[in-house]
Amino acid sequence: MTKRLMGCSCFFMGHVKFYIAAMMLIGLTVIAKNTQAAWYEDHQGKDLIVHYVHLTGYGGDNDVNRQNLLLDYQGCVDVHKAFGNPYNPLPSSGIPSIVEAFDMEIYYSSNRVLIVSHSTANLIDFDACALVSHSKRKLELNSVIGSCKIDLNTQKAIGACDEKAQERAPDSTLAKIAPAKIPPIDLNKLPPHMRAKVAAQIDQFNKLPGGPAGRGALLPAGHKTIKNYPCTIYRANALKTEVCIAHPKSSFPIPASLMNGGIPGLLLEVHSPALTLQAQEVKMEMPVAKSIFAIPSGIKVTIVRVPREE
């Protein structure tokens, strides 16, 4: 038997929806921080001034994910009982309150944005009906020269990972690198039984009015206050996605994180079918060492030069 992520008879389809929505917002994989210290605590200094936002949340519909996790466990137990095999009980605390936990730190400087993310997904190991968790830790550094994605689990980085080029990148809102359309999905790389469903979903999305840019366009839809910071709600109705972006007073123009859809400002909240995040802490004008934007030692780097969009 194999391990599988919970949430599950339509786990993949749900994540295809998120893939489309997230990539329309320039895509991001986030990571759950748990008890780890904030990234800036290891990079204290006064070389740079940054704005800091710490968000936490969960993936998908957490109530549904919890129900499916319990169903998976019960199904595993039934099979083991039928064959007279031993199985593990659930912990005394029962099903985790959050099945897919997400944690994100965003550091905004005048010319770069660093996303520090950590995700933890709870699963059932069907070999023993054990509740286990898998974590992913990643960094993503973005500027107008491109994106450098760093996987701290595999110790590999790929993209525009030239540190000096990133450091010399001009100040920018990053709006120019917002995508005009979703990247193509290679159906041949999907399991055969899923290809028809995914193709139908993509076709349905492409038939929405407004063209690729219009389908993912984030339009103003109101205002709210999060952690004492007023923010503007931007909504992409076709994607069922909503973000809230703050525009506080700053000593430099605030760039857009890659989940802002090209809209400059601090990302304080995200709601989509596959991801919910809300700011827990905001720090303005925070001094840090320039090493905060450096690629960690021991990382194997593949540099891919990304042409700057005009």
Side-chain angles (χ1 to χ4, degrees), residues 88-128:
N88 286 291
L90 285 173
S92 58
S93 56
I95 296 296
S97 59
I98 298 179
V99 175
E100 296 178 75
F102 288 83
D103 187 290
M104 182 196 304
E105 295 175 75
I106 308 180
Y107 296 85
Y108 300 84
S109 74
S110 63
N111 68 336
R112 289 168 289 176
V113 176
L114 174 68
I115 298 171
V116 182
S117 51
H118 197 141
S119 66
T120 299
N122 290 284
L123 318 89
I124 296 299
D125 179 350
F126 273 63
D127 290 335

Side-chain angles (χ1 to χ4, degrees), residues 25 33 45 49 97 109 113 116 148 167 182 197 200 211 217 222 229 232 236 241 262-263 300 305:
L25 296 174
K33 183 169 128 173
I49 296 296
S97 59
S109 74
V113 176
V116 182
C148 177
E167 186 175 353
I182 62 170
K197 290 183 179 179
Y229 284 88
T232 301
T241 296
I263 301 170
K300 182 179 179 180
R305 300 203 177 278

Side-chain angles (χ1 to χ4, degrees), residues 225-258:
T225 298
I226 299 174
K227 293 298 175 181
N228 297 320
Y229 284 88
C231 60
T232 301
I233 299 168
Y234 294 90
R235 186 176 296 143
N237 290 323
L239 298 176
K240 298 181 180 179
T241 296
E242 181 179 292
V243 298
C244 203
I245 299 173
H247 307 279
K249 183 179 179 180
S250 169
S251 61
F252 56 86
I254 303 175
S257 81
L258 288 191

Side-chain angles (χ1 to χ4, degrees), residues 47 71 79 174 207 216 273:
D47 300 325
L71 289 173
V79 170
L174 299 187
K207 289 179 180 178

Side-chain angles (χ1 to χ4, degrees), residues 12 53 69 74 86 88 108 192 210 240 244 275 279:
F12 183 84
V53 180
L69 187 61
Q74 292 174 337
N88 286 291
Y108 300 84
K240 298 181 180 179
C244 203
L275 184 63

Side-chain angles (χ1 to χ4, degrees), residues 171-221:
D171 292 357
S172 175
T173 63
L174 299 187
K176 291 183 178 180
I177 64 172
K181 59 182 180 180
I182 62 170
I185 298 175
D186 188 349
L187 297 177
N188 293 323
K189 293 184 179 180
L190 302 180
H193 68 282
M194 293 183 176
R195 293 173 188 170
K197 290 183 179 179
V198 175
Q201 186 178 43
I202 294 172
D203 182 64
Q204 182 181 18
F205 178 81
N206 287 335
K207 289 179 180 178
L208 291 171
R215 295 177 196 122
L218 288 166
L219 302 176

